[in-house]
Amino acid sequence: MTSSDLGTGGNALAGHVDDVFRVDVTIAVGRCTQCGRTGPMVQARVFDHAPGVVARCPGCDQVLLRLVRGPGRAWLDLRGLTYLQLPVPDAT
Ligand SMILES: [Zn+2]
């Protein structure tokens, strides 16, 4: 069994990251720092079988996002993303 056998779809990010960002991260668009692939985070491969959550690029397997939670806090590592474009309401 390889690590890629354990991965699930990017929808698994919703339960882990949405309450940190308070947005639907699955429809956020990210750009991979390694291969330059740009796409919705729902397409990421998510590994949540450990204390933290890891999302990997579906193109090159680069780690895009890491999230670790502790009591009353969370650590979010986005260094695998050049950017994360988040949906927000239009300013009024
Ligand atoms: Zn990539």
Side-chain angles (χ1 to χ4, degrees):
M1 180 179 289
T2 65
S3 63
S4 63
D5 295 331
L6 299 173
T8 60
N11 279 326
L13 282 176
H16 299 288
V17 181
D18 283 1
D19 61 338
V20 174
F21 281 119
R22 302 289 183 207
V23 298
D24 182 358
V25 73
T26 62
I27 59 173
V29 173
R31 179 177 171 88
C32 175
T33 58
Q34 183 164 295
C35 73
R37 184 182 189 281
T38 301
M41 291 300 288
V42 72
Q43 295 176 350
R45 295 184 318 109
V46 175
F47 300 87
D48 57 359
H49 306 283
V53 177
V54 173
R56 290 184 174 271
C57 176
C60 72
D61 215 32
Q62 159 89 344
V63 173
L64 301 173
L65 174 156
R66 295 180 183 94
L67 176 67
V68 176
R69 290 175 164 270
R73 66 189 71 187
W75 290 263
L76 181 61
D77 176 352
L78 298 172
R79 77 182 96 171
L81 291 166
T82 302
Y83 62 79
L84 183 63
Q85 175 188 312
L86 301 169
V88 296
D90 290 335
T92 54

